[in-house]
Each structure stands twice: as C-alpha cells, then as structure tokens.
Amino acid sequence: MMQASVDASLSEFTRALARSEPKPAELRKHLAALQAELDEAFDAGVDVELLIHARSAAVDAVIQRLWNSQSWPEGERIALLASGGYGRGELLPHSDIDLLVLMDDGCDPEAYRDTLERFVPLLWDLKLDIGLSVRTVSETISQAASDITIATNLLETRTIAGSEQLRRKMSERAYSDETFTDRAFYLAKREEQRARHEKYGDTEYNLEPNVKTSPGSLRDIQTLNWITRRHFGFDPEGREDYSFLTPDERKLLTDGERFLWQLRWALHSLAGRNENRLLFDLQLGVAEKLRYEDGADGSKVERMMQRYYRYALGLAELNDVVLQYYDQVILGESAQSTPIPLNKRFQIVNDYIEVTHDRVFGHYPFALIEIFLMMAQHPEIRGIRASTIRLMREERHLIDDDFRSDLRVTSLFMEILKTPHALHKTLSRMKRYGILGRYLPEFGRIVGKMQHDLFHIYTVDAHTIKVIRNMVSLQSPSSFEKFPLASRLVHRLPKLELLYIAGLYHDIAKGRGGDHSELGAEEVEAFCRRHHLSERDTRLVSWLVRHHLLMSMTAQRKDPSDPEVVHEFARMIDSQVHLDYLYTLTVCDISATNPKLWNTWRGALLRQLYTETVRVMRKGLDSPLDRLGWIQATQSEVREILQSQGFGDAEIDALWSRLEPEYFMQDSTTEIAWQTAALLRHSDAQQPLVLIRDAKGGAAQGYVQILIHTPASEALFAATTATLEQLGLNIAEARIYSHSSDQTLSTFVVAAEDGHPLSHAERRHIKTELAEALDDPGDFSEIIHRRTSRKLKHFAFPTEVTFSNDTVHQRTLMEVITPDRPGLLARIGRVLLDLGIRLVSARIATLGERVEDVFVITDPAGGPIRDAELCAKTANALKSALDNLGQEPDRGR
C-alpha cells in the first residue's frame, strides 16, 4: 500500500462520509476503518509521512462534515482553525487535536451561541482528544501576548472550515510584535527548551525516552521550526526555504523527524493511547513493528535504541548550530569583538573559538583534534562557532588510519588527557561533533549502545563519559564527603592520564560477544602503543581494563572481612600502585552505572577490602594464611578490650568455647568485642536479644547492624527476613553462627528502602517487632506480598541456582541469580527451612532489576552438601518459589 493506495483509501473514505449522515457515531465508524487501513499500511512499510498527513486529512473531512451540517450566520466572519501539530497537518493515531473557533472582531458572539451549542457536543461525541477554544481575533492576540504556548500555536494554523481570510488576518497579527517580538519569542523558546532539557537530566540518553519531548526529540525539531517561522515572519511550505541549513543538515532534520514519527506511530498503535514514551514493555513491540532483527551487534531492541540515540545526538548537535546562528542573528551577537589569536589556525571571537580561515581543517587535518586541546587550555571559551562546527563536519572524513597514526595527532590527544580541565566536557564535545567516534572507531561502535536492563541505565558511551566525569570530580574537595578514600588516592596516582585511558576503555568492547574485559584489554593495548606509552604504562592500563570488575565483584559477592578472601584478592594485585588505580577506577565505575547502585554500604565494603589488602600486601604474600594464628591473635586483641570493660577471662572463655572458630575469622576485633560484651550482659538466654547500632561504625551511613541472639531455630532466617521486609527494610548482609547446640547468634545489615537514616523511634520499633517474631520463629507471619513494579515485571528472567563446595571450610556456596522481587529473601529462607538446609551466611547484591545473592549453606550436620539429588531438589524448589513470585496478586504489606 504505497502513496496511490493511501490516496485511494482517502478518496473512498471521503465518498463514504458524503454518503453518511453527519452523525458522530457514523463518522467514528468510518474513521476507525480508515485508521485500520493506515495501521496496516504502516506495518507494510509505507512512508509514515504519508500516513500522518492522511490521518490529518481524514480528521479534517470528519470535522468539516460536522461543521457544514450546521447553519452558520455571517459565515464570512467565523472560521474553524486547526493549530499546533494538527495545524501542521501532522496527526498520529492518538494525537490531540487543537481547534480554534475564530470570530471576527465586532461580530455579535450571541449570534453564534445556538449553533456552537449544537456543534460542540458533536465534536465531543467523536471520542477524539479534542481541545477547543472560541475567541475573537483580538482576544486571541491578547491571550497570545501573555502566553508563549498560545503564541506558538498561532504560528501553525490551517483553516478547516469557514473564512480563510479571517485566519490570514489573525495570522498577520500573530507574526507581528503585537504578541512577542522576534527577540522575546526566541528567548522564551530557548528558555522553554532549557527547562525541558533540564527536566530530562540534560541528556539524550534516557532509558525510556519520550520521543516527543526528550532532548534530541521531535520537540527540539519543532522548536527550531517555530523560531524560524517567527524570525522570518512567514509560513514556509518546506525546509528548502531554510537557507541557513546545509543540505546535510536538512537531510538530518528530515530523516530524524521521519524516524521519530515512525516510533510515535508504533507507540500509539501498540498502546492504544497517546503514548510517546519508549517504555520497556513497549520497546520490543515497537522494534518488531519497525522490522528490526536480532544481530551480532545486539538484540532488535538494542539496535533500534542505538539508532534512536544516534539520531538524538545528531539532532542535538544540529540544535547547537542553529541556536548559535540565531544567537548571532536575533540577539545581535554577530557584532564581533576583536579576535583573540590562539595560533595561526584558531582564534577566539565573543568567547567562541573559530578557525582563522575556511581551509584550516583541509590544510591541517590534525587541527580537528587540536581545536579541543585549545578549548581544554582556555576554559574561558564557551563553545565552538557554528560555522566552524560545520567545517568540522565537512572535513571529518579526513580521520582515517593515517590520521590516527600521525604523531602530531596522537601527541595532541595525549595532551588533552594530560591537561588539567573538565575532560569529560571535552570528550562529550568530541563525541557530539562526531570526532571522537571517528578517531577511536572502537568508541564509535558503542555510541548509543544500550544494554536492555535496569542495572545499566545509561548507554555505554554515556556511562563512559560519566566515569571520566567522576574521575575529574574526585580532584575537587567537594568529593571528599562522598568518596573520602578515592578523593585522597586520586592525588597520589602517578599519572592521571592512565586512569582516564582505563576509564575510556573499560567498557569499550561491550556488545561484541565474549568477555568485554579481555577484548577491552586488547583494544587499550593497541591504543597505548599507537600513542607511544611506555611498556610499563601499557601493562598497567591493560591490567586495569582486564580486571576492572575484580574489586567490585570481590567486595559485593564475597566477604572482605574474611582474611582468606583478602589474601586471594591481594594475590591478583601486582603493587600498591595497581591497587590505588583499581580502587579509584572501581569507585568511579560503580557510581556512574546507576545513581541507585552506589551507596554507603558498598562504599564501606570497598574501603574495607582496600584497607585489608594494603595490610596484607605490607606483610607479604609469600606464606599461606595461618588460620589458627589469626584466630588466636584475634582473640587476644578482643580479650584486652573486654578486660578493659571489666569482664573476666572465665566468663569470656566460657562464651567463646560455645562459638565456632569461623566466628573469629569474619569480623573486626571491635565488632567481636561488642557482640561478646552484649551476650555476656544478656542474662536470660531463653529470651531473644535484639540490639541495633550503626553498621561499620557509622561509615555506612543509613545502614544499621542488627545483632540477634536467640534459642536455636531452623526458621530463624525465614522469620527474620520476613519481618525485616515487612518493615520496609532492605537487607544487605546476613550471618548466622551456631552458639552451642541450643543458641544461635546472627547479624543482619539493613537500611530503609528509601535510604533515610533510621531514627531512634524506628530502631525501637524494629527491635520490638523482631523480638515478637522471634519469640516463636516457627510461627512467623505469612511472607509479604507486594506489587512488583512495571519495570521489574518487564525484565523478568528465569531464576538461576548454582552450587559449589568450599573444601577449605567444608561448606557449600549457593548462588541465586533472579529478578528482584518483594519478599525474595523470606521465600528463599522458607525453601531452605522446608528442605532442612542450614544457612550460615548470605551476601546480598541487588543490581538494577537483578539480584545476585550468595548463600553459604550446610547439611543438618554442618558439612557441605554432597548429595546431587538434594542440590537439584533445592534448585527446583527455589525456581518454583521465585519465578512465580511476581505473578501473584497484590495483598498489601
């Protein structure tokens, strides 16, 4: 169904309307039939521009039919106008329809009252999203003078019925200074755009972008159109009248707009409403409607979203150019000050850098990189002159393999990395203007590449730039409070440029298949050799990229207070310098992945791993860990603390004799001293003891440690987690120690769901609820049922359960990877309880929509689980319990 078919359908639609009674129900039926044909045409690949104009023409015909069914007195003095998107003749399946009943000045509104009262209900009965205003010409202009939205809508009007002359009369005044002057209109629209971009975080890379209003979307294109219409004072038929645009810019504008229209049409069709957000649960359907296929470079959704992000980036670049043009033309910034020469290729004029002549990039290709070094060295420069941006765009084809190997070019790029400045802004500009992705083709491949999950909320390139931003920010005193250790280490790193290179390349191989860390290490080695780094520096940077996940995985999935974990980690670290670089890179990486991912608990775990690793490295790694010696040293240090508090050796020894040796391998001496003192002071061992204090000595702000001493019960973990989750607490860590045959000591680290510090009253309430629940843990309340969010439901995936045996500690490690769900840990505890499996400890890691929890478990006798049948039964039970969790009805908290 191509244009001829669309035209034929419209003609048949018009004939059907003419044969029908002008009744809304009949007209709706014909419009719905035509819309079905247009949807079918869209699915067949017909140009979406034809379809949106056809939809607009069809609605025109319907409204005209209703208008003409009425008898309008003084018909030459009234008109029905379309405005806004409908005024442009652009209607998507569920777009709103803005109408204006315009009356001539001096006419008697009462003469039209009866007819309007008959006509308007007919419009409502069409069941379309119609917005209607009734005003005289002067009333319309008066309201436009005080409302930029009305003034904007009046720039795009069409006569649907009635007097065209009346519309022209109004339009002449709408385009005059009687509403907004050219300057005032431009400033208002520019501020409107700034506020709108700020609402979306000033980024084109939102996870669920709004294709109508996000940065780089249709609204940006429309804003340029509105400013152009108002400035030139005419109603252009097409963009060929926009002489200030180059052919490539017009093509970008047209192609980008058409692609965004395709997305909107598909969204409206799938959602059945005026939905303009690329929601997760619609992205797959939209990709399929646009005929995307899975490929080696990503899934169909990732490929579609990458195209969207690249158009958004290109349109944002064009937006910069055009608005700068209007800054000069409308605001008078073209009145040039005296140029300030930088060298024979560049100069500064009105705080913008520009070339000294039009052939600079052609004669000196290396200047395509040099211009960014000039900006790095001169922070007073506000940006690049629009004419120079266009020249860069025309000449960036010069960036080829010879260019990339040119010593002048590689030296300039390294100088950019070495120059103290806001490097992330420079790299963002290089990316925005298409230079970075050409100079580093491996970076070009990740521009706009998304990862379809909730953990990575930015595209790979946006995440990379944010990592660099974090590295730069660490050098500011303002970062000390949030990143106290990293902000100190960054100042003692020998070469900051090596950290920047590692940050630039750590995710460079995402989406290629295989281990992106290994592939990235190979890419960065090639970069280092091309940029003439020493062999030592090359090895360090390659090591950082290869192991950039090592520290975060160790801290989050293992226990950094376990000396054996620390020894194992330390053996992977070549030197103190390697550790300093890795810690700094890890902090910057985590905090740039997802704003919710970095928290004080993760920060405390990483600092603990760093500190313990430094201690181990200073002592040396040549000899294996002496477990018995470690336990004896720990007990000796703790004993001194307890003796200073008045406790005697006999009571200390009596208590410790009932604790497993493993207990003294897991915690700091101050923790063990606090716990031991609490147990010694607790007189009634048959009653639960619940104590709460700040976790990690207050270093993990917002997190508290809960100490529980209670008569032994296999239901302890399930009862405790169910209670904590009912209280709206997130659990970060759990440990359970046997304390004689009939007592259990456990600790939980928790935080409020929204991260706020728990007040004294809240802590008292937690203690009360836990004490009540643990008085008879086998009778704990029903596991909570809370509604699973729309996003989490969309990213559901089958639960994975794996087992491995720890031959040193004679225990079994069970890893559970599953979608995040309310009541998750309580369900796991219930399954383990039912199967008679004993839980020793748990490490909780929530990564976006995904949890990766590690549980240390044993059989009832305290040994590893060697029964393969029991492992399979456990895995199946967990999968059954967890994979159905998000499908259950909401029963409240």
Side-chain angles (χ1 to χ4, degrees), residues 1 40 45 73 111 147 177 204 279 311 333 339 361 384 404 426 467 469 550 605 610 635 684 741 748 796 887:
M1 183 178 179
E40 187 178 320
D147 190 324
D177 291 352
E204 298 82 19
L279 301 174
Y311 267 123
E333 292 187 4
F361 298 121
I384 304 175
R404 298 181 192 103
T426 298
V467 170
R469 180 203 63 187
L550 174 64
L605 293 177
Y610 175 89
Q635 290 179 335
D684 188 353
S741 61
F748 292 82
Q887 302 171 15

Side-chain angles (χ1 to χ4, degrees), residues 262-412:
Q262 288 178 327
L263 293 175
R264 278 196 76 194
W265 189 287
L267 283 168
H268 284 208
S269 178
L270 288 168
R273 62 180 185 273
N274 189 4
E275 179 59 78
N276 300 302
R277 298 167 298 165
L278 269 169
L279 301 174
F280 288 127
D281 42 344
L282 294 176
Q283 288 176 4
L284 178 59
V286 173
E288 290 174 343
K289 274 190 169 292
L290 270 56
R291 295 170 295 285
Y292 281 88
E293 299 290 342
D294 294 338
D297 56 343
S299 69
K300 61 187 71 174
V301 170
E302 290 170 342
R303 297 175 78 186
M304 176 188 73
M305 295 303 296
Q306 184 166 32
R307 187 180 181 202
Y308 167 80
Y309 291 129
R310 287 184 170 179
Y311 267 123
L313 188 65
L315 291 170
E317 175 195 347
L318 180 59
N319 194 267
D320 288 349
V321 170
V322 176
L323 291 186
Q324 193 183 129
Y325 166 82
Y326 282 125
D327 280 345
Q328 299 169 23
V329 173
I330 297 177
L331 301 184
E333 292 187 4
S334 57
Q336 295 189 354
S337 61
T338 303
I340 302 172
L342 296 175
N343 56 30
K344 65 180 182 179
R345 291 171 293 280
F346 298 107
Q347 61 190 19
I348 301 174
V349 177
N350 292 334
D351 298 330
Y352 282 82
I353 189 172
E354 65 179 19
V355 291
T356 53
H357 59 83
D358 289 350
R359 292 299 300 150
V360 162
F361 298 121
H363 291 164
Y364 310 101
F366 64 82
L368 287 165
I369 301 295
E370 184 187 26
I371 188 172
F372 296 100
L373 177 59
M374 294 293 99
M375 297 182 72
Q377 294 174 339
H378 296 273
E380 71 275 12
I381 297 175
R382 290 169 53 192
I384 304 175
R385 182 70 60 193
S387 57
T388 299
I389 294 173
R390 284 170 161 162
L391 291 173
M392 291 168 63
R393 192 186 301 131
E394 291 172 7
E395 301 291 356
R396 58 193 181 192
H397 68 276
L398 296 172
I399 302 177
D400 55 16
D401 286 342
D402 290 337
F403 178 97
R404 298 181 192 103
S405 300
D406 189 319
L407 181 59
R408 291 171 298 181
V409 172
T410 57
S411 299
L412 287 167

Side-chain angles (χ1 to χ4, degrees), residues 77 102-108 135-141 166 169 173:
R77 303 192 69 184
L102 185 67
M103 296 179 291
D104 200 1
D105 291 332
C107 69
D108 182 8
R135 293 190 291 259
T136 66
V137 171
S138 291
E139 287 172 343
T140 300
I141 298 303
L166 189 61
K169 178 180 177 181
R173 295 175 66 181

Side-chain angles (χ1 to χ4, degrees), residues 489-553:
L489 292 180
V490 75
H491 292 289
R492 77 184 199 193
L493 298 179
K495 298 178 181 179
L496 273 176
E497 65 269 21
L498 302 185
L499 180 67
Y500 295 145
I501 295 169
L504 192 58
Y505 273 82
H506 78 288
D507 278 349
I508 205 81
K510 279 285 184 72
R512 297 190 197 174
D515 186 338
H516 80 278
S517 299
E518 290 291 339
L519 295 173
E522 295 173 8
E523 291 279 13
V524 81
E525 281 183 23
F527 171 91
C528 291
R529 301 193 195 290
R530 192 168 69 249
H531 289 78
H532 309 287
L533 272 69
S534 69
E535 183 64 24
R536 182 177 184 273
D537 289 349
T538 299
R539 287 177 177 273
L540 172 57
V541 175
S542 176
W543 182 89
L544 285 170
V545 173
R546 180 173 286 107
H547 297 289
H548 73 273
L549 296 174
L550 174 64
M551 195 166 198
S552 61
M553 289 296 96

Side-chain angles (χ1 to χ4, degrees), residues 408-670:
R408 291 171 298 181
V409 172
T410 57
S411 299
L412 287 167
F413 189 75
M414 286 304 301
E415 196 60 34
I416 290 174
L417 299 182
K418 294 177 182 179
T419 299
H421 75 295
L423 176 62
H424 56 292
K425 293 183 179 179
T426 298
L427 294 176
S428 291
R429 287 191 179 106
M430 294 181 74
K431 181 185 78 169
R432 195 180 193 95
Y433 301 135
I435 301 300
L436 187 60
R438 282 174 169 78
Y439 180 60
L440 302 176
E442 56 272 27
F443 186 88
R445 287 194 286 271
I446 63 170
V447 171
K449 177 168 285 297
M450 70 169 289
Q451 298 171 82
H452 197 54
D453 58 39
L454 288 178
F455 177 50
H456 302 89
I457 72 166
Y458 306 111
T459 57
V460 182
D461 59 312
H463 163 70
T464 299
I465 298 298
K466 288 182 182 293
V467 170
I468 304 296
R469 180 203 63 187
N470 289 345
M471 292 172 173
V472 172
S473 298
L474 281 180
Q475 300 165 58
S476 168
S478 61
S479 292
F480 181 79
E481 182 176 353
K482 187 174 183 180
F483 307 111
L485 177 57
S487 62
R488 288 198 299 269
L489 292 180
V490 75
H491 292 289
R492 77 184 199 193
L493 298 179
K495 298 178 181 179
L496 273 176
E497 65 269 21
L498 302 185
L499 180 67
Y500 295 145
I501 295 169
L504 192 58
Y505 273 82
H506 78 288
D507 278 349
I508 205 81
K510 279 285 184 72
R512 297 190 197 174
D515 186 338
H516 80 278
S517 299
E518 290 291 339
L519 295 173
E522 295 173 8
E523 291 279 13
V524 81
E525 281 183 23
F527 171 91
C528 291
R529 301 193 195 290
R530 192 168 69 249
H531 289 78
H532 309 287
L533 272 69
S534 69
E535 183 64 24
R536 182 177 184 273
D537 289 349
T538 299
R539 287 177 177 273
L540 172 57
V541 175
S542 176
W543 182 89
L544 285 170
V545 173
R546 180 173 286 107
H547 297 289
H548 73 273
L549 296 174
L550 174 64
M551 195 166 198
S552 61
M553 289 296 96
T554 302
Q556 291 172 188
R557 301 177 69 175
K558 299 184 180 180
D559 187 352
S561 67
D562 185 339
E564 291 182 337
V565 169
V566 177
H567 270 71
E568 179 186 353
F569 173 75
R571 292 184 187 281
M572 301 287 292
I573 311 298
D574 291 346
S575 69
Q576 178 70 50
V577 170
H578 284 72
L579 179 62
D580 290 350
Y581 273 108
L582 180 61
Y583 177 85
T584 308
L585 173 61
T586 301
V587 168
C588 294
D589 185 18
I590 294 176
S591 56
T593 299
N594 183 328
K596 296 180 180 179
L597 186 61
W598 180 264
N599 53 45
T600 55
W601 177 247
R602 281 193 170 91
L605 293 177
L606 283 171
R607 286 196 301 275
Q608 182 178 13
L609 180 58
Y610 175 89
T611 303
E612 295 299 327
T613 303
V614 169
R615 183 178 295 124
V616 167
M617 292 175 69
R618 286 175 179 170
K619 291 181 178 178
L621 293 166
D622 294 336
S623 57
L625 176 67
D626 179 0
R627 288 173 55 82
L628 181 59
W630 179 277
I631 292 172
Q632 290 175 343
T634 299
Q635 290 179 335
S636 175
E637 188 173 328
V638 173
R639 188 182 298 274
E640 289 183 12
I641 298 173
L642 293 171
Q643 288 173 340
S644 69
Q645 297 175 11
F647 295 103
D649 287 340
E651 56 184 335
I652 295 173
D653 290 337
L655 176 62
W656 283 356
S657 67
R658 299 195 297 271
L659 289 168
E660 299 172 328
E662 190 68 23
Y663 173 74
F664 298 96
M665 296 287 292
Q666 301 298 322
D667 277 305
S668 70
T669 53
T670 55

Side-chain angles (χ1 to χ4, degrees), residues 2 34 61 98 160 310 321 332 351 474 487 571 691 816 830:
M2 303 308 287
L34 176 67
D98 291 327
I160 303 299
R310 287 184 170 179
V321 170
D351 298 330
L474 281 180
S487 62
R571 292 184 187 281
L691 297 177
V816 178
R830 176 84 260 180

Side-chain angles (χ1 to χ4, degrees), residues 672-727:
I672 295 173
W674 173 68
Q675 294 175 11
T676 302
L679 295 180
L680 291 173
R681 293 190 184 104
H682 184 50
S683 57
D684 188 353
Q686 296 307 308
Q687 292 299 315
L689 169 67
V690 181
L691 297 177
I692 301 178
R693 74 170 189 169
D694 292 338
K696 299 290 183 184
Q701 294 180 8
Y703 286 81
V704 297
Q705 181 186 42
I706 302 175
L707 170 70
I708 299 173
H709 182 251
T710 184
S713 170
E714 297 299 330
L716 175 64
F717 181 77
T720 304
T721 53
T723 303
L724 293 174
E725 290 178 327
Q726 283 179 327
L727 292 169

